[in-house]
Amino acid sequence: MILEKIEQIKEELEKIKISKKEDVENLRLKYISKKGEINKLFADFKKVSPDKKKVVGKAINDLKTFTVNKFDELSKHFEDKGSDEIKNDLTRPGEPLTLGTRHPLAIVRNEIIEIFSRLGFSVNEGPEIEDDWHVFSALNFPPEHPARDMQDTFFIERDPDILLRTHTSSVQTRVMENNAPPIRSIFPGRVFRNEAISARAHCIFHQIEGLYVDKNVSFADLKQTLLYFSQELFGKDTKIRLRPSYFPFTEPSAEMDVSCTICGGTGCPICKGTGWLEILGCGMVDPNVFKSCKIDSKEYTGFAFGMGVERIAMLKYGITDIRKFYENDTRFLNQFQSAW
Ligand code: PHE
């Protein structure tokens, strides 16, 4: 009885028509699954008389091997065929595109540009490889100033000096040489300083410079512009304070602090308990700079400011190591989303 059944199943399997993937699955369900025909045979096998057990057992095992092999062969065939069919189907949707994200420095730079453009500032750029005149001499740096030393500046050639600009103030020189006032513009760009790389400093970083030159520009205009900027960038409750400072190209000069973006001014480790964070240098354009650029300092006055984009991004996002910006680790970069 049972041998006949085995024979019958084998015949069925030989004749079976398989034309699509589902047929292969049906074959598996009908014959090799837990409740399939072959398992039923194994159940019946218990009732077989001991003298026939050897022959019947072998027959069932052979049938099982035969069926499993057939199934494997068929599934492989339909899998290959299936993927070919999919490849050739011109109506299928395309592969999904993974969009990258903006770099955090680009997000912050764009935001700063946007804020100043609302105040009527245009955007200008200048070269990264500069001469001494545009970076130092025209900006009233005395000959013995330490920035003119190899220790602070990357020189490409000496005498005449060609160097990597150490600040975007060089673009001030270029814009004032080539444009008559009124001038109202900002200059974003990369700058280079011969510094040891650490969590707080890098030899390449980004600055945004601002310049406003017109008749009757006052220090009060500078302060109001910076207050507007700070509140737009860090929030309406942000306070600013200006501390006297020194730059060769501005007089008077100041450094600007904003109330700490983390604790709001009560004191925390980020602001070292002071409640204030320094974010930029600024001042009124020195008459000597106007003279270098052939602008009449009796007719015109102006203000300038310069800020580090990395520093602002670090404060805005709570980043504690500047090197993170340049490692291109997508796990870091993917955390920043922007509207731009
Ligand atoms: N150039 C200065 C710096 O790199 C910043 C600055 C710009 C200061 C404009 C005053 C006016 O530190």
Side-chain angles (χ1 to χ4, degrees), residues 53-70:
K53 269 207 152 87
K54 201 173 168 187
V55 182
V56 174
K58 186 174 178 325
I60 301 177
N61 275 327
D62 286 351
L63 177 68
K64 188 174 179 182
T65 315
F66 174 79
T67 318
V68 170
N69 285 347
K70 191 176 172 87

Side-chain angles (χ1 to χ4, degrees), residues 167 169 172 193 207 209 247 249-250 281-282 304-306:
H167 56 178
S169 301
Q172 277 192 49
R193 287 184 195 175
Q207 285 190 329
E209 187 94 2
F247 300 101
F249 38 94
T250 46
C282 60
F305 55 84

